[in-house]
Amino acid sequence: MHIGFIGLGLMGSEIAANLIKGGHQVTVWNRSPDKAAPLVAAGATLAATPAEAAAHPVVFSMLADDRALEAVAFGENGILSSGTPTIHVSLSTISVAIADRLTAAHAEAGQTYVSAPVFGRPLAAAAKKLFVVAAGPAEAVATCQPLFDAIGQRSFNLGETPHKANIVKLSGNFLIMTVIESLSEAMTLAGRYGVDKGPLLDVLTGTLFGSLVYEVYGKVLVEEAYEPAGFTLPLGFKDMNLVAEAAVAAGVPMPMLSLGRDRLIATMARERPELDWAAMAKTVEANAGK
């Protein structure tokens, strides 16, 4: 299939590379064109504008936040101006509000919008081990399924309302934040009694908490491997703000979210922004006098 791909950051570049490896013709666009060089060398075509990248049956976007997605979709020479009946698949973690706006705008432009955020860090993206959570018109999702298969290990279909996929993604990221917080507290407590982080994690993941998120983030915490970041502190804070926005709109109190946001704010104030958001653990330890 001939597809477009917009946004070549840590995640986007790995996903686009796997689409090329899967035999698809990929036209890429990035705000900084130099990031496209490795993909062009691998067979991709470089587009001059987002609209050019969107002049294909499907165009993916993998962008940092609502503002970046809004610029690429609604801006001059944006996806909506391409004049083609493309299916726009947003892989990003975005707000419910922008997903609804994109759904309506694409329909008005004779295009289709699908939300398909992914669970997984850059290493998972490189290994084609992402989990894809998709929602949108059934025919469009079915068209995109071979592409999802080329980038992930499993896909989930949340139905025809795109923002449902986004709220599932936000809910999942909220839970990841709580795992980082609770593991950090448990490791700090155990450390005060002479139990190292590694053996503690072995017990936890070998008994009651043998799940991917505990294993992945537990390893980051044990090794204090906060850089290079798979997901930075500011991105984590951005996502928790999106969760808060959705919670306020729905009237859902989330006390643990308030704690996590405060922890992220404190960590961003005392650490460098390029650290992984698991560096929240450093603030937990500092508060315990370490």
Side-chain angles (χ1 to χ4, degrees):
M1 189 182 302
H2 201 154
I3 62 174
F5 200 100
I6 296 171
L8 303 176
L10 289 176
M11 292 289 289
S13 58
E14 298 290 2
I15 295 170
N18 281 330
L19 289 168
I20 294 168
K21 292 173 186 175
H24 300 285
Q25 295 177 271
V26 182
T27 297
V28 298
W29 183 87
N30 193 69
R31 186 174 59 181
S32 303
D34 57 297
K35 289 188 176 180
L39 294 169
V40 171
T45 301
L46 180 61
T49 64
E52 185 180 333
H56 303 293
V58 177
V59 59
F60 284 98
S61 61
M62 181 51 131
L63 299 158
D65 53 30
D66 283 19
R67 182 180 298 179
L69 180 55
E70 184 177 46
V72 161
F74 294 95
E76 184 178 2
N77 294 315
I79 295 170
L80 287 159
S81 70
S82 69
T84 56
T86 189
I87 300 169
H88 175 198
V89 182
S90 172
L91 302 173
S92 309
T93 304
I94 56 173
S95 69
V96 169
I98 193 67
D100 286 343
R101 185 181 172 199
L102 286 166
T103 300
H106 280 295
E108 185 176 346
Q111 300 172 337
T112 306
Y113 176 71
V114 172
S115 279
V118 297
F119 285 110
R121 288 160 68 90
L123 286 176
K128 297 191 292 187
K129 293 295 185 181
L130 295 172
F131 295 97
V132 182
V133 182
E139 185 176 346
V141 173
T143 297
C144 295
Q145 189 58 55
L147 303 174
F148 298 153
D149 293 341
I151 67 174
Q153 59 178 302
R154 184 177 177 186
S155 299
F156 299 83
N157 190 329
L158 271 292
E160 300 215 353
T161 305
H163 76 226
K164 288 185 178 181
N166 300 111
I167 204 66
V168 168
K169 170 62 172 169
L170 291 173
S171 298
N173 280 13
F174 161 72
L175 288 172
I176 293 171
M177 180 275 294
T178 68
V179 167
I180 295 170
E181 173 68 24
S182 58
L183 263 180
S184 299
E185 293 182 18
M187 287 178 173
T188 301
L189 173 64
R192 284 299 179 90
Y193 286 87
V195 179
D196 290 337
K197 297 176 183 179
L200 173 65
L201 183 65
D202 286 344
V203 172
L204 295 177
T205 56
T207 54
L208 302 178
F209 301 96
S211 69
L212 184 62
V213 68
Y214 279 92
E215 292 170 0
V216 170
Y217 278 96
K219 186 173 187 290
V220 172
L221 294 175
V222 167
E223 297 177 356
E224 299 183 4
Y226 305 130
E227 55 184 332
F231 193 66
T232 63
L233 285 161
L235 286 177
F237 184 62
K238 179 268 293 185
D239 283 2
M240 294 308 101
N241 283 338
L242 295 181
V243 176
E245 179 184 307
V248 169
V252 178
M254 299 183 73
M256 293 179 69
L257 173 62
S258 298
L259 184 154
R261 289 175 74 204
D262 285 347
R263 187 76 77 197
L264 284 162
I265 291 169
T267 306
M268 288 189 293
R270 68 187 301 273
E271 304 292 344
R272 291 174 289 113
E274 62 267 26
L275 294 186
D276 196 277
W277 72 325
M280 290 166 57
K282 293 169 71 69
T283 303
V284 173
E285 293 172 347
N287 288 350
K290 181 174 179 181

